[in-house]
Each structure stands twice: as C-alpha cells, then as structure tokens.
Amino acid sequence: ALRASTTVNTGQGAKRQLDHESNYSFDQGSAHYLFLDANPHLFDNLLPGGPPSAAPAFPFPPYPSVLRDWIINDLDSSNQTWKVVVYHQPAFSTGNATLGNDQMRRVAKLLEDHGVNLVFSGHEHNYQRSLPIRALPGVDSAPTKSGPPVVAVDAAYDGVTKTVPDGVLYIIEGAGGNRDFDDNLPNPRGGGLGIDQDDAATGTFTAKVNGVSYDFANGPASWLDTNLTDNAMKAYLPNAGTGPKIAAKFKSKVFGFADVVVDGNVLTLYQISEPLSDKSSATTASPAPYGTDVNGKPLNDPLPDTLVDPTTGQNVQLAGEGTPALLDKFTITKPDVNATLATKIAAPPAAITGGAIVYTLTVANNGAFALNGAQLVVTLPTGVTFPRTSGANLSVNGQEVVVTLARLAPGDKRVLQLKGRVNVGLANGAQLTATAFARSSTALPTTPITAVTRVVVVPPPFGNF
C-alpha cells in the first residue's frame, strides 16, 4: 500500500517511485539512516555522461514531489542525534568519471535544511571527503564561471582541531570496487591514462580533445570548485576549476573502507586502506605512487591481487598478508548550545473552548556557531487542534509540529506564531501544556520549555422565555 501510494508521472508514464523499496529509512543507535534512489528513472531516464569534452545536460527534471514530501516527513519525524543519507551517484564529486551524474543536487538544499549531517555515495570508485557544504541558489543549474558560487564551503573545518562543521559533509565510499577511476594506473586500481585527481598527485597531463591540446592539472588543482566546475571541464568551459575547492581528501590509488564510531555527540570516521606490502616503488619523480596516509606519509605498494582460474575456480595467486594504513580520520562534534540559543514559547494565560489559541515562538542564536538545519519542534496539548497542512517549512505529525528555519547564523533571531483551536468539551480550569525545543544538524537539541494555558468554559447565552 505504501509503494502504491507513491505512483507519480515523472514524464515516462505513471510509475511507483517506491517500486523496489529503494527509498527507505531506519534508526540504529542514535542515528537515523535515509536511503534514496538516485538512479535515472527519477529524472526521465536522463543520466548524462561521456568524455570530459561533452558538457553535462542541464537542467535535470524536478525531483518527484511525492518523494520530496516523503523525505521531509521522514527527516522531520526523527529526533535522532545524527541523520545520515545514502544514495548512489554523488551530488558533488571531484572525480571526472561522473562529470554530469549530479542529479541529486536537486535535493541538496532539502537535506541540508532538514538536519542531515552526512551524505554517503558510491559510483566513483575512490574515496572522497568534501569540506562542509551549504547549497546556494543555482546549485542544480548548469556549471558556469559567469555567476557567483553555487555552494559555500567551510574551509576552517579540519575535523581535528575544528570539529563543528558549517554544512553537510559528502563522503564517497567507492574504494572497494574493481576500478578506482584514478586514471593513472591500469585496472584494477585505475581506469587508464588520464587526469589524475588523487591528492598526492602533482604536475600536469597533456591530452588532445577534438584536436586541441589541453594541459590538465593533476592533484588538488584539478578538483571541483565552488562554482561546481572542475579542471576536466576546461574543454568546453574555459578557466573551469580555478575557484576555491570543495574537497578535503581524494584517495584513489588503493582500496579501502570506512569505520564510523559514534559516541554521544561525537562522530569519528576512520578511512582504512587495503593491506599493504612492506615495499615501495616510490622514486624521486614519483614520491607517492599510491598516495599518502593521514599524516602525508607515502604509502607502501599494495599487495598483488588474488587471481582465480575462471575454469577451475581455484586460486592461482594469493594476495598474501600486509598492514593497512589510515588514509583519513575526521571528527564531527555537536556542541551543547543551551546557554547561547535562547528559545521561548509564549501562550495566553487562558483560552475559551472552541476558540483560537496562539503560541508565539522566539529563537535567538547568541552563540558562535551557525546552526544549519535549524528547526523548532512544538508538541501541542491533546486539547488543541492544529491544521494538518504540511510543506517544506512546516510538517505536522499528530500533535507534533516541526517548523524548519533552515539556517540560524550567529546573531539571527526569529519570531513566529502557530495558531490552533481549543477543543470543545474540555473541563473548566483544565490546563493545556505545550512544549518546544530547538534542534539542528550542527548542535545538540535544547532542553524543552513549556507554556501553560487554562481552559475557560463560557456558558451559552440565555434566550427569552
């Protein structure tokens, strides 16, 4: 019944958007996980690709509204400390193998405003970690250098000494596949000769595109910038990729996996390499042929791959044993902002049955941290009825009303009102207690506060005898 209720026409006829249960969520520990389908049937089967000389096709069709509403309700109904989203094709990738496969930028602002901390993707067969990203107007438009940046990045966040990010972290965990798209080494650890975007790479690579020679930068100089253009786009977008970069790490020379540890208000990710040998093929010209570890030390060579005879299924060559390396480590901390986030709820001292009741909510950010995905969560008394209307900025689940404020910068103050109606049939003098607290992707939720209203029953007027 749930899947049937998500039938929508996105341009190719009516189709169930939850046709294979590919959009779902669950809680584990103190985290809420939301899995989304990023595949092209959501976008009229439009999934551009091709060589770097081919410009991505824009704009993508809108994200299906039935799924958009479902995402809002799913995220807003969760009070878990951490909110994690997973989908396949990355919205923001510094790898050039998915230059135009960025359709999920359509929901980047939506996820950010509704409290998401981390987004995990695959598709690119490497490991990438972005700087904290905030989506700005134009984030889902065609890349261009003529306009302002379409994302803002928190360059101060390093995950070590500064651990409160101003934005969403996007992680690509594709380094366990059969190729890495590092475009330098042959398979299985690379995609062939080309632009090398690993963060240990240096120099340039010259290639001809449509008969024209281009010098493509290797390493960080080639990464995606805040206009969402990169070095690989220069064949059709001059001076692409020259702005501030959005990536913090890019590891494509070795396989790896992530181990994520959550301890209360602290989340730490460890990116661990495959086992490595005790030998190194480093030279003066190529000091880090397999990239570097978390401290910038060149990695030893990976172990040889296990080879299997396809006819007999028997191992022909064993990989052997080796020691893995720590490729990356970062921490996210959610601070306690009770002392600096002033939250108030005010209600009339008395309200009559059948009449209106107005709650005034005030929130002021007097702290040093910008609060992203900021929301006010109000639980109305059972004796108060609230209109069951929902949208991007307001969702209603029973007696709980979630008001999305998006971003509260230091010094910001918001005042808003919720108007309900007192039910008839309540006893005279009964108390209506409403509670409210503030939450965000940046900080721990505040302590709930209350407002109490006394019910007044007004007798009906007497008529003439």
Side-chain angles (χ1 to χ4, degrees), residues 80-339:
Q80 299 294 85
T81 303
W82 303 96
K83 294 181 181 179
V84 179
V85 173
V86 183
Y87 50 75
H88 187 66
Q89 291 94 345
F92 307 103
S93 172
T94 283
N96 64 8
T98 56
L99 195 59
N101 297 346
D102 42 29
Q103 63 271 16
M104 293 303 283
R105 292 177 188 170
R106 282 286 190 182
V107 293
K109 179 64 172 170
L110 179 72
L111 300 181
E112 174 189 321
D113 286 350
H114 291 268
V116 171
N117 301 103
L118 289 167
V119 174
F120 286 96
S121 298
H123 199 59
E124 288 272 7
H125 290 229
N126 46 50
Y127 169 74
Q128 297 180 46
R129 167 166 62 99
S130 76
L131 293 167
I133 290 176
R134 290 189 292 111
L136 303 176
V139 67
D140 53 2
S141 301
T144 176
K145 292 294 294 181
S146 60
V150 293
V151 296
V153 293
D154 179 6
Y157 173 84
D158 59 12
V160 180
T161 60
K162 296 185 181 298
T163 60
V164 180
D166 187 5
V168 180
L169 271 73
Y170 290 81
I171 312 297
I172 296 178
E173 278 292 348
N178 67 339
R179 62 195 187 281
D180 307 87
F181 297 154
D182 71 353
D183 296 328
N184 181 43
L185 300 171
N187 281 330
R189 293 190 175 88
L193 190 62
I195 305 167
D196 187 350
Q197 293 172 307
D198 190 276
D199 56 14
T202 58
T204 59
F205 170 74
T206 302
K208 280 192 174 183
V209 180
N210 297 328
V212 179
S213 292
Y214 294 91
D215 287 332
F216 295 100
N218 286 332
S222 71
W223 294 356
L224 201 67
D225 67 11
T226 53
N227 279 70
L228 301 187
T229 68
D230 71 11
N231 179 71
M233 296 181 186
K234 65 172 59 177
Y236 62 87
L237 190 63
N239 301 315
T242 57
K245 306 302 179 181
I246 71 167
K249 293 286 183 180
F250 190 123
K251 302 294 184 181
S252 62
K253 302 299 187 65
V254 293
F255 299 147
F257 69 96
D259 180 27
V260 183
V261 178
V262 176
D263 183 5
N265 68 327
V266 178
L267 181 151
T268 304
L269 183 145
Y270 302 85
Q271 185 69 16
I272 302 167
S273 82
E274 62 182 299
L276 306 176
S277 71
D278 57 1
K279 299 179 174 59
S280 173
S281 57
T283 64
T284 302
S286 180
Y290 289 97
T292 58
D293 67 10
V294 69
N295 297 313
K297 178 183 176 181
L299 299 175
N300 285 344
D301 296 357
L303 295 170
D305 297 303
T306 298
L307 300 179
V308 178
D309 187 322
T311 303
T312 65
Q314 300 298 311
N315 289 334
V316 177
Q317 173 182 289
L318 294 176
E321 296 183 356
T323 303
L326 185 60
L327 301 178
D328 191 21
K329 175 187 175 183
F330 68 85
T331 294
I332 301 175
T333 303
K334 283 197 162 191
D336 185 336
V337 293
N338 271 291

Side-chain angles (χ1 to χ4, degrees), residues 246-460:
I246 71 167
K249 293 286 183 180
F250 190 123
K251 302 294 184 181
S252 62
K253 302 299 187 65
V254 293
F255 299 147
F257 69 96
D259 180 27
V260 183
V261 178
V262 176
D263 183 5
N265 68 327
V266 178
L267 181 151
T268 304
L269 183 145
Y270 302 85
Q271 185 69 16
I272 302 167
S273 82
E274 62 182 299
L276 306 176
S277 71
D278 57 1
K279 299 179 174 59
S280 173
S281 57
T283 64
T284 302
S286 180
Y290 289 97
T292 58
D293 67 10
V294 69
N295 297 313
K297 178 183 176 181
L299 299 175
N300 285 344
D301 296 357
L303 295 170
D305 297 303
T306 298
L307 300 179
V308 178
D309 187 322
T311 303
T312 65
Q314 300 298 311
N315 289 334
V316 177
Q317 173 182 289
L318 294 176
E321 296 183 356
T323 303
L326 185 60
L327 301 178
D328 191 21
K329 175 187 175 183
F330 68 85
T331 294
I332 301 175
T333 303
K334 283 197 162 191
D336 185 336
V337 293
N338 271 291
T340 57
L341 186 62
T343 307
K344 298 179 181 179
I345 180 171
I352 62 173
T353 55
I357 182 170
V358 177
Y359 293 96
T360 301
L361 302 162
T362 305
V363 58
N365 184 4
N366 301 317
F369 300 111
L371 302 178
N372 295 301
Q375 296 180 318
L376 285 172
V377 182
V378 183
T379 301
L380 299 176
T382 54
V384 172
T385 301
F386 187 79
R388 294 300 188 263
T389 57
S390 296
N393 298 322
L394 184 71
S395 60
V396 182
N397 182 18
Q399 293 301 108
E400 185 176 86
V401 180
V402 178
V403 182
T404 295
L405 306 173
R407 177 177 169 83
L408 275 176
D412 279 358
K413 180 180 179 179
R414 308 281 179 87
V415 180
L416 53 98
Q417 291 184 327
L418 297 178
K419 184 177 181 180
R421 187 163 295 278
V422 180
N423 297 343
V424 296
L426 297 177
N428 190 59
Q431 288 190 340
L432 300 175
T433 302
T435 65
F437 68 90
R439 69 186 183 194
S440 69
S441 61
T442 308
L444 291 173
T446 59
T447 302
I449 53 176
T450 61
V452 179
T453 299
R454 183 175 58 86
V455 174
V456 177
V457 177
V458 178

